[in-house]
Amino acid sequence: AQSVSQHNHHVILSEAASLELGCNYSYGGTVNLFWYVQYPGQHLQLLLKYFSGDPLVKGIKGFEAEFIKSKFSFNLRKPSVQWSDTAEYFCAVVSNFGNEKLTFGTGTRLTIIP
Amino acid sequence: DAGVIQSPRHEVTEMGQEVTLRCKPISGHNSLFWYRQTMMRGLELLIYFNNNVPIDDSGMPEDRFSAKMPNASFSTLKIQPSEPRDSAVYFCASSVIAGERGETQYFGPGTRLLVL
């Protein structure tokens, strides 16, 4: 079965710092990968997704993620964070064959200090 | 587009009562998902439908939980009887093109349930 690991449970950064949130998945086949964001009190919104092609994916609000197949990773990055990026970030994976269920990681809470 | 609509947004009930959560997916979407989010367990998929047919309900905690999708524009998640451990935020999500792998899911605002 596929699984997703997000090792950073809570990250605290100052504004303008650079961000990288780790995401590793376990599945031997072809996968599609997602990052969702959940702002305080709100629902999950899609930040970016990878289906195929260029492994460096750019999303909304200056976020990007790089799919490294050999490392089974899909880390989220942003060069300079803002206070408004305070939220919980979820990595998710769905296999390309025979299983439509989206599997989410446990999430990383990001707190940006002004 | 109004997005995925869920009601109620908040529900407070007493243990033993029946709770019904409602979801209207985005028009044209034909896959619908029910999730539960808690601090302890994170985001869990409870059940999902494809063209109104339940495909996988292995995430449903127990027989107290049931879900229906009578048509393409409406789904319910029912808990009967409710228990305090059911307290959570319940999200509904929908997606388009059943069968296409990796389709993006769009989430509703959630129902925050508190069972006393």
Side-chain angles (χ1 to χ4, degrees):
Chain A
Q2 59 200 28
S3 66
V4 179
S5 296
Q6 292 182 246
H7 304 295
N8 310 107
H9 297 293
H10 190 189
V11 173
I12 302 173
L13 294 173
S14 298
E15 275 192 316
S18 66
L19 169 71
E20 181 160 2
L21 301 182
C23 173
N24 288 92
Y25 67 93
S26 65
Y27 184 72
T30 304
V31 295
N32 297 313
L33 298 150
F34 304 80
W35 275 98
Y36 282 85
V37 60
Q38 186 177 26
Y39 296 103
Q42 296 191 25
H43 59 285
L44 276 79
Q45 303 170 44
L46 183 69
L47 259 185
L48 49 78
K49 60 187 177 185
Y50 171 80
F51 285 5
S52 63
D54 188 345
L56 184 61
V57 179
K58 295 193 182 299
I60 60 172
K61 302 186 180 186
F63 285 91
E64 65 178 29
E66 185 174 12
F67 172 48
I68 302 179
K69 189 175 181 180
S70 61
K71 294 184 178 181
F72 298 90
S73 70
F74 190 55
N75 292 354
L76 181 71
R77 300 194 294 248
K78 185 170 183 178
S80 176
V81 294
Q82 302 172 307
W83 177 78
S84 58
D85 294 325
T86 295
E88 189 146 15
Y89 292 81
F90 293 90
C91 182
V93 62
V94 62
S95 68
N96 236 359
F97 302 98
N99 182 350
E100 297 181 16
K101 289 196 295 186
L102 195 60
T103 301
F104 283 87
T106 51
T108 297
R109 187 192 305 175
L110 176 65
T111 301
I112 305 300
I113 302 170
Chain B
D1 195 327
V4 176
I5 299 172
Q6 289 187 248
S7 65
R9 294 292 306 276
H10 301 273
E11 177 81 28
V12 180
T13 190
E14 292 185 342
M15 182 174 64
Q17 297 298 305
E18 177 180 295
V19 175
T20 300
L21 311 181
R22 297 174 178 79
C23 175
K24 177 179 167 53
I26 292 172
S27 177
H29 284 193
N30 51 12
S31 291
L32 184 140
F33 305 79
W34 281 101
Y35 291 89
R36 177 172 67 177
Q37 186 178 35
T38 61
M39 290 289 291
M40 292 296 293
R41 301 174 68 92
L43 199 61
E44 305 171 274
L45 176 65
L46 300 177
I47 185 172
Y48 76 95
F49 296 83
N50 209 347
N51 291 322
N52 311 337
V53 176
I55 302 300
D56 186 341
D57 64 354
S58 60
M60 295 286 263
E62 48 198 272
D63 292 345
R64 298 185 297 107
F65 285 69
S66 62
K68 294 182 180 179
M69 192 165 186
N71 57 61
S73 60
F74 183 66
S75 176
T76 60
L77 177 67
K78 187 175 291 186
I79 309 172
Q80 167 63 18
S82 58
E83 296 182 2
R85 60 191 168 123
D86 302 330
S87 298
V89 181
Y90 291 82
F91 288 103
C92 176
S94 70
S95 65
V96 68
I97 310 179
E100 176 177 304
R101 305 295 183 246
E103 64 271 20
T104 301
Q105 293 183 20
Y106 295 86
F107 283 76
T111 295
R112 190 174 296 273
L113 173 65
L114 177 61
V115 183
L116 301 174

